[in-house]
Amino acid sequence: MSFAEYFSGLDRDSLSMQLYSTTAADVEAALVRPRGDLKSLLALLSPAAEAYLEQMAQRSVALTRQRFGAALNMYIPLYLSNLCANECDYCGFTMSNKLKRKTLNSDEISAEADAIKRLGYDSILLVSGEHETKVGIDYFLSALPLIKPKFNYLAMEVQPLATDEYRQLKQAGLDGVMLYQETYQPNTYAKHHTRGKKSDFLNRLAAPERVAQAGVDKIGLGVLLGLDDWRLDALLMGHHLAFLEQRYWRSRYSISLPRLRPCTGGVEPKVLLTDRGLLQMIFAFRLFNQELEISLSTRESPALRDKLFALGVTHLSAGSSTQPGGYAAQQTQLDQFEISDDRTPAQIAQVIRSQGLTPVWKDWQGQWSN
């Protein structure tokens, strides 16, 4: 069974009703045995669980320290291109936006990698708009040899690819793929993705399985919080995570929980996610899956990020630029979205240490895989 087949059998209306009819007794039962139990995850994501945030927080901290110690892994995105052949109304790169388009050439890629390396990073995330003809597998295969020798861990967040293409990239040094569904609500998905290959909901839904079949080390899932009901989207992502882990257990898994941020031509959230709601989601997923890596982006404010460092997240970016060439030469008209935390990596590392935690710049040592 594919996840698309599994997903088609889920009654999303029924799950939504269960979320909003969950009782305090249901939450207390979920807190007894939350690990790996989708029914418990539902209860912990429900409005009824808001009264238990302090208890969930304490459990989340304990489980995170037990599994990950005091480490907070640092990574940074390198934007290769803002070319895009899709129409997505929440993204600054959407094809109808009148902005300067740029795709990094070999010299510019090397300059960006060198600038990032000087910041201290050894874990990098390659990002691009989705334009398979000009920024597709051939471009990626030419870019990776310029970057991989400088970083022990290299992940990508680009358009969905074929299984064989993921295999080629893995051979070229790819270690992880972040591929976010944006929303698990098909009607909402269609509303926000009106042109281009990204409008194919099922193709995107199936992509993480292709990544897993290619034997990639880490697979990242995520939803763009605010496009629809965040509680239901998070729950459906939990189903996706559980499905993949049961069948493709050799890969590691991570989730990202980005909230809608302002961008050129962007949309307002349909459902507002408060800071307390974000906390609840982090705690719920940590209780559900102790091994799960949870990423925190620079979309969040400095004050909130500082509070979240110790509460369940494991990976975070700092000093990020969302524009191609943004580390060697800043040009704000190329940004994908606005960031909230513009502190330097050194400043973030200092805050982390002040909380008794340890910033870790290396996700993996390449020789360990040999």
Side-chain angles (χ1 to χ4, degrees):
M1 177 187 292
S2 68
F3 182 70
E5 293 170 323
Y6 173 93
F7 184 78
S8 68
L10 290 175
D11 188 335
R12 294 186 298 277
D13 289 337
S14 175
L15 290 174
S16 181
M17 289 181 62
Q18 292 175 53
L19 274 167
Y20 290 94
S21 60
T22 295
T23 66
D26 295 328
V27 176
E28 291 172 5
L31 287 168
V32 175
R33 292 185 178 178
R35 188 168 185 175
D37 190 317
L38 287 164
K39 184 177 179 181
S40 294
L41 179 62
L42 183 152
L44 297 175
L45 289 169
S46 72
E50 292 177 358
Y52 295 84
L53 276 188
E54 181 60 34
Q55 186 175 346
M56 292 171 65
Q58 293 175 5
R59 296 274 298 278
S60 177
V61 171
L63 290 171
T64 304
R65 297 287 81 79
Q66 178 182 336
R67 170 60 182 84
F68 296 94
L72 269 178
N73 287 77
M74 309 288 290
Y75 74 93
I76 197 167
L78 190 167
Y79 277 70
L80 297 170
S81 174
N82 62 2
L83 282 177
C84 194
N86 297 315
E87 191 70 37
C88 310
D89 61 7
Y90 53 81
C91 179
F93 289 176
T94 190
M95 63 186 298
S96 64
N97 273 354
K98 305 300 181 183
L99 74 157
K100 185 178 179 181
R101 303 289 176 169
K102 183 176 181 59
T103 299
L104 301 183
N105 60 34
S106 297
D107 290 341
E108 291 168 329
I109 290 172
S110 295
E112 285 291 277
D114 289 340
I116 288 173
K117 196 67 180 177
R118 288 193 292 272
L119 294 173
Y121 284 99
D122 195 41
S123 181
I124 193 167
L125 173 67
L126 303 184
V127 185
S128 80
E130 300 190 8
H131 197 300
E132 65 176 352
T133 56
K134 295 184 179 180
V135 190
I137 184 63
D138 292 338
Y139 178 82
F140 299 141
L141 287 172
S142 68
L144 261 63
L146 303 173
I147 303 168
K148 181 62 177 180
K150 302 174 183 179
F151 299 92
N152 273 291
Y153 205 86
L154 187 156
M156 297 182 72
E157 184 183 337
V158 300
Q159 67 266 28
L161 301 171
T163 304
D164 184 60
E165 291 174 326
Y166 285 124
R167 288 196 183 102
Q168 292 179 64
L169 292 170
K170 182 174 184 277
Q171 291 173 356
L174 177 67
D175 298 296
V177 173
M178 312 298 118
L179 196 69
Y180 307 144
Q181 189 62 31
E182 315 297 9
T183 176
Y184 285 86
Q185 310 295 328
N187 291 338
T188 302
Y189 188 95
K191 175 183 176 182
H192 293 285
H193 305 90
T194 54
R195 292 176 63 189
K197 281 202 166 184
K198 195 170 180 178
S199 62
D200 188 339
F201 177 86
L202 292 178
N203 177 57
R204 198 168 190 88
L205 197 68
E209 288 163 90
R210 300 197 292 272
V211 178
Q213 290 159 7
V216 174
D217 173 62
K218 182 160 69 174
I219 301 169
L221 304 178
V223 288
L224 186 53
L225 301 163
L227 290 182
D228 209 308
D229 183 348
W230 63 266
R231 297 182 194 274
L232 183 55
D233 263 337
L235 176 60
L236 293 169
M237 182 171 65
H239 279 264
H240 202 174
L241 173 66
F243 179 95
L244 291 167
E245 283 201 313
Q246 289 169 5
R247 289 159 178 78
Y248 304 103
W249 48 268
R250 287 185 173 86
S251 293
R252 291 188 287 159
Y253 292 90
S254 70
I255 61 169
S256 182
L257 305 171
R259 289 192 276 192
L260 270 175
R261 289 289 299 151
C263 70
T264 304
V267 298
E268 293 297 319
K270 176 181 177 181
V271 179
L272 183 65
L273 173 60
T274 65
D275 290 352
R276 283 178 61 83
L278 181 61
L279 287 166
Q280 181 182 351
M281 204 177 332
I282 291 170
F283 302 157
F285 273 103
R286 174 58 64 223
L287 270 60
F288 175 67
N289 190 321
Q290 187 175 340
E291 308 293 322
L292 185 64
E293 298 177 6
I294 302 178
S295 295
L296 180 65
S297 83
T298 51
R299 291 172 181 253
E300 301 300 337
S301 69
L304 181 61
R305 274 166 55 93
D306 290 355
K307 292 177 182 177
L308 290 174
F309 290 162
L311 294 180
V313 300
T314 61
H315 288 64
L316 62 137
S317 54
S320 301
S321 171
T322 67
Q323 57 180 292
Y327 299 104
Q330 192 173 39
Q331 302 179 61
T332 58
Q333 71 270 26
L334 304 182
D335 283 335
Q336 185 184 26
F337 57 85
E338 293 181 14
I339 64 173
S340 290
D341 190 348
D342 59 1
R343 292 174 293 178
T344 67
Q347 289 172 323
I348 296 293
Q350 184 177 2
V351 174
I352 292 171
R353 293 189 188 98
S354 73
Q355 297 183 15
L357 303 172
T358 304
V360 177
W361 305 93
K362 182 188 296 290
D363 186 290
W364 191 255
Q365 178 66 36
Q367 288 85 344
W368 295 343
S369 299
N370 296 334

